[in-house]
Amino acid sequence: MEECPRCGWPQTEVYEVLSRHLTSEGVVSYTRCACGEMQVRVQPYTPGAVVTAGHEPPAPG
């Protein structure tokens, strides 16, 4: 499991989604870790998958 290099927060548990954008390559998400570290994630398109972009509320805590 990958972890944030700064604080060890599991990268599979997104703390906060700042923005999400559809691109020709897939969905690009700008996220923030619990420690404040910014991350850019790319989720490639999967044939037959429904892809949406939007804002998710921050995780409780």
Side-chain angles (χ1 to χ4, degrees), residues 9-57:
W9 183 273
Q11 289 192 12
T12 56
E13 295 181 33
V14 175
Y15 182 75
E16 180 179 15
V17 175
L18 302 174
S19 66
R20 188 174 281 158
H21 307 277
L22 294 174
T23 69
S24 61
E25 297 296 317
V27 179
V28 176
S29 300
Y30 295 86
T31 63
R32 181 174 290 141
C33 180
C35 67
E37 184 79 11
M38 301 266 303
Q39 300 171 346
V40 178
R41 302 162 186 251
V42 178
Q43 180 180 2
Y45 287 123
T46 303
V50 176
V51 179
T52 61
H55 177 73
E56 292 181 353

